Every structure is written in structure tokens, then in C-alpha cells.
Amino acid sequence: MKIKILGNGGFYNEGLAYNALAIDGHVLVETPPDILQSLHSQGMKPSQIDTVYISHNHGDHCFGFPFFFFNWLYAGGSDSHYEKQTELVIIGPEGLKEHLKALMRLAILPEHQYLFDFDQRVKFVEIDERSIVSTSGGLWFGFLRTKHFVPTFSLVVGKTGPDKGIPSCNDYLENAIFIYSSDTSMFDGIYKLLSSSARLILCDTNGEEDNGVHMSPRELMAAENQVRTRSSERADLSEYRLSGENDKDRVLGIHLSKKMDRAQGLKFAQPGEEYCIE
Ligand SMILES: [Zn+2]
């Protein structure tokens, strides 16, 4: 699995590309206001995407959707998704579909053709904590509700088995490969994510001191150290986790307020970085 960082900035930030990433070159996670610029600056095109995940309806996660969708649909002329009648899968929480359509109406005109095309070409998958969604490319997605102002879900990603099997909502964390926490203040669910089998966990932190809205590097590393101490008492987990030279950076920060490389022992993911998880 390949995780490409497209941006690492939060709602409040000093000029960073907004928080977004791609999985295996065809899944887009978040559509912030500058998503077209971030895709193109990382050598990607909207047309590569077949699945979009949006964690919640705050503007730094979805205000770029009208521009992404317009370009996804129409760019490429006779080779466009519009001409090929391709379907785009959008996965997100309850209310997101209407929120995206409202943004599209504001972006051009209430009766613009692309609103009709949205209804025809988008398969919307509404999720909650019990959802496990099978996607293209042999992936499955599970979800954990975070502690944020609006319904927001962490994304937990794994690979379907040889028999195309997917885990249940009771054991998906034990089968996780990659996790993106999305926006959250510190809460018990973070311990669940950190205790999972995921080899890479991107966590919401604005990189600053504890503020009750986003996790601070101090809070996050304290939780990770607590989980590690617990898991080191379990041979199966410690052997699994502690193999590999990159293990110390299994947890990375994202959604920053300003450019930072590392704080309190936490490394921050940077635009352009690609993490390959075997
Ligand atoms: Zn938010």
C-alpha cells in the first residue's frame, strides 16, 4: 500500500497545502480548497481517482470538492470520465452528500449540469462506526468516530484477503494496515487506533500545545508510549510492531498550523512524501 502525502496543513495554517493524501494512486482522502493544486504539484491528476473519502464537512476537508469533481468529470475531452460514463465513489458521514451539493450550487449555478451529473455519476456511501466498505484495488475501509465538532470519522484501511474477505466491525482494527485519524481532540478512541495493527498512523495535531481541539504532539506521544509499554508485555504485538527501522515513526502528525519537522519526538508528514507499507 502506498500513501502519498498531498498536504499537511490544518484549518488555521501559515500557508501550508491543506491536509490531504492519496492511497495507491486512486483513492483521494479529503478534498480541501487547494486539492487541485496539491494533486498537480505531486504529479497526480483528478482523473486517476476512483474513490474519495471525506472525513467530515468542515471547509478545510471539502471546500475543494466542486473543483475536484468538475475536473474529474470533464477534463480530458473525449477521454473524460463524462464521456466514458465512469462512476466516482464518495465515502463519508451522514449529511455529506447534501453538503457537497450545496457547495457545488454555490460554486457555479444552482442549475448547472454538473449537479445533474453528480446524481448520475456518483455512488455515495454513507458510513458510521459499523460500516466496513470494500473498495477498488483490493482495499477495505473501516471507521472510528472521533471527538470533534461535527460527525467525523477516522479512516482505517486494510487489504482484502485472498478470498476477498473483509473483517467485521469488531475485528477491523486488528487487521488494519494504515490509519488516518482525521480531526480530533484526545479521547479513548486514539488508544484503540494506536493499539491497532496499523504500520502507519497519521494523526491530527496542529503541532502546538494542548488546546482541546486538536491533539498536541505531547498528548499524542504520551498515548503512543503508554500503548507501546502495554504492548511490549505482549510478545506477539511487540515483535510485530518493533520490526523494521521505520517503526519509531509509525505515528506521524498531520493537519499542522505551520511548517514543522518534529516536536516532542513526533515526526510530521510532509507534502510529497510517499510511505510504502508492505
Ligand atoms: Zn474539522
Side-chain angles (χ1 to χ4, degrees):
M1 191 180 297
K2 287 186 175 155
I3 309 299
K4 179 89 166 175
I5 308 298
L6 300 173
N8 64 355
F11 198 115
Y12 166 81
N13 85 68
E14 299 177 359
L16 304 176
Y18 282 106
N19 184 90
L21 58 101
I23 303 172
D24 289 344
H26 64 93
V27 177
L28 177 61
V29 178
E30 313 288 23
T31 55
D34 58 352
I35 190 60
L36 286 183
Q37 290 90 334
S38 292
L39 283 168
H40 284 285
S41 68
Q42 299 306 331
M44 292 182 68
K45 292 179 180 173
S47 58
Q48 289 176 232
I49 303 301
D50 58 34
T51 305
V52 175
Y53 174 69
I54 298 177
S55 63
H56 65 300
N57 67 13
H58 280 165
D60 53 330
H61 295 256
C62 67
F63 274 14
F65 180 79
F67 308 100
F68 168 79
F69 183 66
F70 191 96
N71 285 272
W72 178 88
L73 188 62
Y74 300 128
S78 61
D79 200 34
S80 66
H81 286 301
Y82 179 79
E83 291 296 332
K84 291 190 286 188
Q85 304 201 357
T86 323
E87 187 177 64
L88 178 69
V89 177
I90 301 178
I91 302 168
E94 182 181 3
L96 181 68
K97 183 178 180 181
E98 283 312 309
H99 191 71
L100 296 180
K101 287 186 78 172
L103 291 175
M104 292 169 68
R105 286 187 200 102
L106 288 169
I108 305 186
L109 290 169
E111 66 274 19
H112 193 277
Q113 175 66 34
Y114 83 158
L115 280 145
F116 297 99
D117 293 331
F118 180 92
D119 290 333
Q120 300 295 319
R121 299 296 172 77
V122 169
K123 180 187 173 195
F124 197 89
V125 182
E126 188 177 294
I127 51 119
D128 60 29
E129 280 198 318
R130 301 193 63 78
S131 309
I132 302 289
V133 179
S134 182
T135 75
S136 67
L139 304 176
W140 58 259
F141 292 172
F143 311 93
L144 183 88
R145 176 84 185 254
T146 70
K147 191 177 176 189
H148 200 42
F149 303 106
V150 295
T152 303
F153 292 88
S154 295
L155 175 64
V156 178
V157 185
K159 284 188 174 175
T160 54
D163 57 353
K164 300 289 178 195
I166 58 173
S168 74
C169 61
N170 297 317
D171 65 356
Y172 71 115
L173 287 168
E174 289 108 84
N175 292 283
I177 293 176
F178 166 68
I179 289 175
Y180 160 67
S181 83
S182 194
D183 297 17
T184 188
S185 53
M186 181 53 74
F187 77 121
D188 287 349
I190 293 302
Y191 291 86
K192 289 186 189 175
L193 299 180
L194 294 174
S195 302
S196 74
S197 61
R199 275 85 126 185
L200 178 65
I201 306 177
L202 297 182
C203 283
D204 172 42
T205 171
N206 58 7
E208 298 181 350
E209 297 300 309
D210 307 0
N211 65 10
V213 178
H214 302 280
M215 291 183 289
S216 67
R218 187 199 63 78
E219 288 175 308
L220 190 51
M221 292 316 285
E224 167 69 347
N225 289 334
Q226 195 177 321
V227 168
R228 274 169 178 269
T229 303
R230 252 191 270 145
S231 67
S232 67
E233 292 156 13
R234 288 180 53 189
D236 54 335
L237 279 179
S238 61
E239 188 183 336
Y240 182 65
R241 280 230 186 83
L242 299 177
S243 62
E245 58 189 88
N246 291 326
D247 182 70
K248 62 184 167 58
D249 291 328
R250 186 178 77 110
V251 178
L252 301 176
I254 197 165
H255 207 276
L256 302 172
S257 60
K258 59 188 173 193
K259 183 163 172 48
M260 284 179 272
D261 293 322
R262 194 179 278 273
Q264 305 271 338
L266 176 68
K267 183 181 180 297
F268 302 116
Q270 305 294 334
E273 289 178 346
E274 186 167 65
Y275 295 88
C276 299
I277 314 170
E278 295 304 319

